Amino acid sequence: MYLADHTWPELGDRLEEASTAIVPLGSTEQHGPHLPLATDHLIAEGLATAAAEETGLPRTPTVDIGVSPHHRQFPGTLWVDPPEFRDYVESFTRNLAYHGIDRVVYVNAHGGNVDHLREVGRRLHQDGTMYAIEWMWDESIPELVDDLFARNGPHAGPKETAMITHLAPDLVHPEEFEAARDGGLVDIDDSETMVHGARTFYDAVDNSANGAFGDPTDVTPEKAERLFEAAADQLVRLLEWLDAREFESLMPEPRVE
C-alpha cells in the first residue's frame, strides 16, 4: 500500500491495522556513463513497492536525495549533509510513530546513507519510540551477486546495472558498458589510494575517472530478473519477521543490576 495514493479517511483504518512501515531511500548521484543519476532511488523504490504489494504494509514516498558529497565532482549529483539527512529522516519517522507505526524498515540502496540510517535507528530505539532498521538490498543476497557476476563493484557495477535493467531498461545505455568498464575501476583492489594501511581518498573520482566500478558487460535481462526477485524475497521475509515480533521484545534491555 502506497500511503500517498490514499485519502486520509481511507488511511485511518488501514494504519490502525499496521504496525510496520516501509521507507525507501536512495540518492541522486552519478552512476558512470551507462546508468542514470536516479539509479539508487529507483532500486529502493522498486524493491519497496514490490514488498508492499506482497505484504500489504504501508510504503512511504521515496527519499530521493541522500548523503553523496563524495560524488560531487560529477555534473548533476545532488546531496545533503549528514546532520541534515539524519534529522530529516528521524523527524518524518517520528511522524509515522504519531500515526501508530512502531517499527520501520529503511529500504536503502545507497551506501552513503548506511551509517546515518543506523544512527537514526539507534536514537529512536534508545528513547523507546520505535524499532527502525536499515536494509541494504545487495547485502541480503551476497552469494547470488558473486555467482552472477565475475567482477563486481561497489558502485555503478554489474549488480546496479542489472537492477536498473530490470526496473527501467529505457534508462540504461548498454552501448556504454565497455566504456564504463574501461574508463573506470574494475577491481577495487587495484586502487592505488591505500597507503600503508591508510585510505588516502575521499571522493569517488579519486578511484574512478568516470565514476564506475566493476564490469557491467555480462549483465543480461535474465540475470537482472533473478537478482531483483531474490532481493525482493529477502525484504518480504524481513518484513514478515519484524511484523510478527512483540514490540516489547524489540525495545532496549533494562539496565543490568
Side-chain angles (χ1 to χ4, degrees):
M1 177 183 69
Y2 179 46
L3 285 178
D5 281 347
H6 296 272
T7 66
W8 70 261
E10 292 173 324
L11 289 172
D13 292 339
R14 297 291 293 274
L15 288 178
E16 285 182 3
E17 298 170 357
S19 58
T20 304
I22 307 167
V23 178
L25 307 97
S27 68
T28 299
E29 64 183 26
Q30 72 82 20
H31 276 78
H34 60 303
L35 294 178
L37 272 65
T39 290
D40 287 345
H41 68 253
L42 288 175
I43 294 172
E45 184 168 287
L47 289 167
T49 298
E53 291 174 353
E54 177 70 21
T55 62
L57 295 172
R59 172 179 76 81
T60 71
T62 304
V63 178
D64 291 345
I65 299 175
V67 181
S68 303
H70 49 295
H71 293 288
R72 68 188 186 278
Q73 287 89 349
F74 296 93
T77 292
L78 304 175
W79 68 92
V80 292
D81 291 330
E84 286 73 19
F85 178 79
R86 291 192 295 266
D87 289 347
Y88 177 78
V89 174
E90 180 178 349
S91 180
F92 79 70
T93 305
R94 290 185 185 276
N95 298 166
L96 292 171
Y98 177 81
H99 291 298
I101 298 296
D102 61 18
R103 62 205 78 183
V104 159
V105 172
Y106 295 125
V107 177
N108 178 38
H110 173 50
N113 294 341
V114 171
D115 290 342
H116 309 295
L117 293 172
R118 289 178 177 169
E119 170 59 19
V120 170
R122 186 196 65 78
R123 293 179 189 176
L124 296 166
H125 184 252
Q126 184 170 292
D127 66 18
T129 299
M130 178 181 292
Y131 187 79
I133 53 175
E134 183 267 348
W135 178 82
M136 190 80 170
W137 71 271
D138 56 324
E139 293 181 356
S140 74
I141 49 171
E143 295 86 1
L144 179 59
V145 172
D146 287 339
D147 287 345
L148 290 178
F149 307 113
R151 294 188 287 182
N152 285 306
H155 179 81
K159 60 188 178 184
E160 290 187 322
T161 302
M163 293 296 267
I164 300 303
T165 295
H166 180 74
L167 290 165
D170 291 347
L171 299 181
V172 179
H173 297 272
E175 73 278 6
E176 296 290 340
F177 284 2
E178 291 186 5
R181 177 195 64 198
D182 298 340
L185 183 67
V186 173
D187 191 340
I188 196 69
D189 292 334
D190 292 337
S191 171
E192 298 179 355
T193 50
M194 287 291 291
V195 179
H196 301 302
R199 292 188 176 192
T200 61
F201 64 93
Y202 285 98
D203 299 322
V205 73
D206 296 333
N207 279 316
S208 173
N210 69 6
F213 296 79
D215 180 2
T217 60
D218 62 347
V219 170
T220 65
E222 293 74 23
K223 290 181 180 180
E225 181 179 13
R226 186 177 173 193
L227 197 70
F228 180 85
E229 290 183 350
D233 179 66
Q234 287 297 306
L235 178 56
V236 167
R237 289 170 182 261
L238 172 63
L239 290 163
E240 291 175 342
W241 171 86
L242 182 59
D243 202 47
R245 320 275 17 118
E246 292 292 335
F247 179 69
E248 292 74 16
S249 71
L250 299 170
M251 288 294 95
E253 294 291 333
R255 181 176 178 271
V256 177
E257 300 293 344

